[in-house]
Amino acid sequence: MELLSVIIPCYNEEAVLPETAKRLLELYERMRQQSLIESLSRLVFVDDGSKDKTWEIIRELSSEYDEIYGIKLASNVGHQNALFAGLMTVKNSCECVISIDADLQVPDCNKFKAHTGWEPEITFEQTMGDLLNYWRENLPNINYVNLYGPTEI
């Protein structure tokens, strides 16, 4: 079993956060039942200076669920900086980190279609499971895996 953190950068995501949290918590529960991840695995929502109720929702979710942790940035610094803040927060407290957008879109599908003309049906559940398995089998010395490749942090 792996200690997994999923980083979810958020900017004005109040419309999707409740459903995103629900679906990720359900996925975590299935992964725990299959002994894929440890019970201390976390979902880390990073509020990138949102102007809507994103932070309030993250705070409520983190109060309700032990798996959810929130980070609030002082201002909007951009998606990559929000992701970096999440990575730096969890880098010493987990074995593997996966990032995903707050709307649970799998962006690589569009890039793949542009290059091949074929549009795969890939869900975030399949993607996260595949990334975790790929990391476990091929990249045990790499800490961070996303759709664009592995990174050591």
Side-chain angles (χ1 to χ4, degrees), residues 23-67:
R23 292 176 67 186
L24 288 172
L25 287 164
E26 289 170 354
L27 176 61
Y28 260 38
E29 182 57 31
R30 287 193 306 273
M31 293 173 84
R32 278 194 297 267
Q33 289 175 356
Q34 297 170 6
S35 298
L36 296 174
I37 62 172
E38 292 186 23
S39 61
L40 294 176
S41 293
R42 297 286 175 256
L43 300 168
V44 181
F45 291 85
V46 182
D47 180 15
D48 185 20
S50 296
K51 301 199 183 309
D52 64 1
K53 295 182 181 176
T54 294
W55 179 243
E56 289 81 5
I57 294 169
I58 292 171
R59 256 194 356 222
E60 289 171 12
L61 290 167
S62 66
S63 294
E64 188 173 346
Y65 300 99
D66 292 336
E67 300 93 336

Side-chain angles (χ1 to χ4, degrees), residues 19 32 35 48 53 65-66 75 89 100 109 122 139-140 146:
E19 181 65 19
R32 278 194 297 267
S35 298
D48 185 20
K53 295 182 181 176
Y65 300 99
D66 292 336
S75 63
T89 299
I100 192 161
C109 291
I122 301 174
L139 306 166
N146 70 12

Side-chain angles (χ1 to χ4, degrees), residues 127-141:
T127 302
M128 284 182 54
D130 289 346
L131 286 173
L132 185 60
N133 287 329
Y134 181 78
W135 171 79
R136 185 181 287 130
E137 293 170 9
N138 301 295
L139 306 166
N141 297 320

Side-chain angles (χ1 to χ4, degrees), residues 89-120:
T89 299
V90 303
K91 72 176 186 167
N92 295 319
S93 63
C94 63
E95 297 165 307
C96 184
V97 182
I98 295 174
S99 64
I100 192 161
D101 290 346
D103 61 7
L104 301 179
Q105 294 289 319
V106 181
D108 227 33
C109 291
N110 293 330
K111 183 191 278 187
F112 189 79
K113 182 181 179 186
H115 291 333
T116 66
W118 180 63
E119 187 170 1

Side-chain angles (χ1 to χ4, degrees), residues 22 30 39 41 50 69 73-74 80 111 126 153:
K22 175 182 175 263
R30 287 193 306 273
S39 61
S41 293
S50 296
Y69 183 79
L73 303 179
Q80 294 303 313
K111 183 191 278 187
Q126 292 169 315
I153 57 173

